[in-house]
């Protein structure tokens, strides 16, 4: 949970660094800060017929809270970014999920992460160091210095998609196989993984009552429109 005052200070710093004549667009920084305070300090909710006011963190699901958290994390992560650059590594973050690739030893990486844990007690780090890790919906594997990617499916994932019998425009159903194959083509770095994902997509479509001829037609449309051959 990000601290309120720390987040507000990070926001002020961010605005000052990216403003023009003390403004963001037509809004003065002072006005933005007052609005930010209003949003942060006015989170109220009802539980068991009693009113509560949130005094720590920000409201979950609030668009502003997410932006504020990203700004706070932006300044927090600069040391990790610098570390990755210095050691010719890779660094990426999506909200609160971070991926790093480096040539440093496991011990050296752990030491750097421990330093980051001490930097801000509000940021809790749970990490996994391995030659293969899952990041968002991708499995990233280091094979002899080459990064290989494939689609990651959570163990609890159900093969449910929009049923073919649903009352939606047929165009929606046609786009589902196409979009799934496009995602597989973008995320799978080799043909074998793409082929496995294509089989998975095929099975999911069949389980949701998509006719086999319809599936084949949409698969062919994908390969034809992308000037590729079926694998």
């Amino acid at each position: 949970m990000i601290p309120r005052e720390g987040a507000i200070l990070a926001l002020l710093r961010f605005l000052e660094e990216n403003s023009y004549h003390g403004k963001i667009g037509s809004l003065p920084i002072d006005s933005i800060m007052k609005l930010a305070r209003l949003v942060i300090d006015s989170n109220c909710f009802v539980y068991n017929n009693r009113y509560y006011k949130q005094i720590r963190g920000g409201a979950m699901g609030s668009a502003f809270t997410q932006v504020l958290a990203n700004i706070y994390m932006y300044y927090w992560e600069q040391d990790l970014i610098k570390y990755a650059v210095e050691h010719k590594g890779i660094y990426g973050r999506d909200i609160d999920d971070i991926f790093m690739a480096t040539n440093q030893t496991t011990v050296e990486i752990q030491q750097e992460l421990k330093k980051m844990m001490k930097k801000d007690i509000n940021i809790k780090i749970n990490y996994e160091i391995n030659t293969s890790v899952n990041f968002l919906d991708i499995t990233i594997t280091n094979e002899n210095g080459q990064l290989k990617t494939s689609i990651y499916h959570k163990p609890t994932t159900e093969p449910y998609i929009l049923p073919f019998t649903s009352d939606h425009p047929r165009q929606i159903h046609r786009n589902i196989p196409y979009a799934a194959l496009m995602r597989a083509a973008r995320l799978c770095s080799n043909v074998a993984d793409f082929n496995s994902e294509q089989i998975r997509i095929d099975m999911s479509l069949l389980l949701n009552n998509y006719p086999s001829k319809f599936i084949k037609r949409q698969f062919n449309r994908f390969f034809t429109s992308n000037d590729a051959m079926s694998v």
Side-chain angles (χ1 to χ4, degrees):
M1 181 182 295
I2 62 172
R4 286 191 174 187
E5 289 306 315
I8 289 295
L9 289 174
L11 174 62
L12 178 59
R13 177 182 173 184
F14 182 82
L15 294 174
E16 289 176 341
E17 291 176 353
N18 294 278
S19 64
Y20 182 71
H21 293 318
K23 292 184 177 181
I24 301 294
S26 60
L27 281 176
I29 290 178
D30 184 59
S31 297
I32 297 175
M33 294 303 297
K34 288 179 180 178
L35 290 170
R37 279 285 187 188
L38 178 64
V39 173
I40 287 292
D41 295 335
S42 303
N43 292 321
C44 301
F45 59 94
V46 178
Y47 179 72
N48 283 344
N49 295 320
R50 298 186 66 179
Y51 286 93
Y52 294 86
K53 181 178 180 180
Q54 186 170 357
I55 60 174
R56 295 183 60 202
M60 292 290 290
S62 165
F64 177 71
T65 300
Q66 182 172 326
V67 171
L68 192 61
N70 265 319
I71 292 173
Y72 185 83
M73 288 294 295
Y74 168 76
Y75 290 109
W76 174 86
E77 69 186 349
Q78 292 307 307
D79 288 340
L80 275 181
I81 294 174
K82 182 180 178 181
Y83 179 83
V85 171
E86 287 179 349
H87 296 93
K88 297 179 173 58
I90 298 173
Y91 177 91
R93 176 176 64 85
D94 180 78
I95 305 178
D96 59 353
D97 291 305
I98 293 174
F99 171 78
M100 289 183 67
T102 176
N103 293 317
Q104 301 303 101
T105 65
T106 299
V107 173
E108 289 171 328
I109 298 170
Q110 288 174 332
Q111 289 175 345
E112 184 64 24
L113 292 176
K114 287 178 181 178
K115 283 170 53 180
M116 294 301 295
M117 291 180 192
K118 294 178 181 178
K119 179 180 178 180
D120 190 332
I121 60 173
N122 297 288
I123 305 296
K124 307 298 181 184
I125 302 177
N126 297 313
Y127 62 86
E128 177 185 356
I129 301 175
N130 209 326
T131 55
S132 181
V133 295
N134 300 316
F135 179 67
L136 303 178
D137 60 345
I138 307 175
T139 296
I140 306 172
T141 305
N142 184 341
E143 291 188 350
N144 300 318
Q146 297 293 320
L147 292 184
K148 168 190 169 184
T149 60
S150 59
I151 294 180
Y152 168 66
H153 297 279
K154 293 182 179 179
T156 56
T157 300
E158 296 288 341
Y160 178 80
I161 55 177
L162 184 70
F164 192 76
T165 54
S166 66
D167 188 20
H168 286 74
R170 192 56 73 201
Q171 179 184 354
I172 302 298
H173 297 100
R174 288 196 298 268
N175 286 340
I176 288 174
Y178 189 97
L181 287 175
M182 180 62 74
R183 174 172 174 259
R186 288 173 174 171
L187 299 186
C188 296
S189 58
N190 64 50
V191 173
D193 288 328
F194 175 84
N195 190 40
S196 296
E197 188 62 25
Q198 182 181 347
I199 294 172
R200 185 186 182 97
I201 295 167
D202 194 358
M203 293 300 297
S204 295
L205 292 167
L206 289 171
L207 287 171
N208 287 274
N209 299 315
Y210 283 69
S212 57
K213 289 184 178 179
F214 178 89
I215 297 171
K216 185 176 182 179
R217 188 160 58 249
Q218 302 315 313
F219 278 17
N220 288 337
R221 180 168 71 93
F222 170 80
F223 290 112
T224 302
S225 61
N226 289 283
D227 195 23
M229 60 181 292
S230 176
V231 290

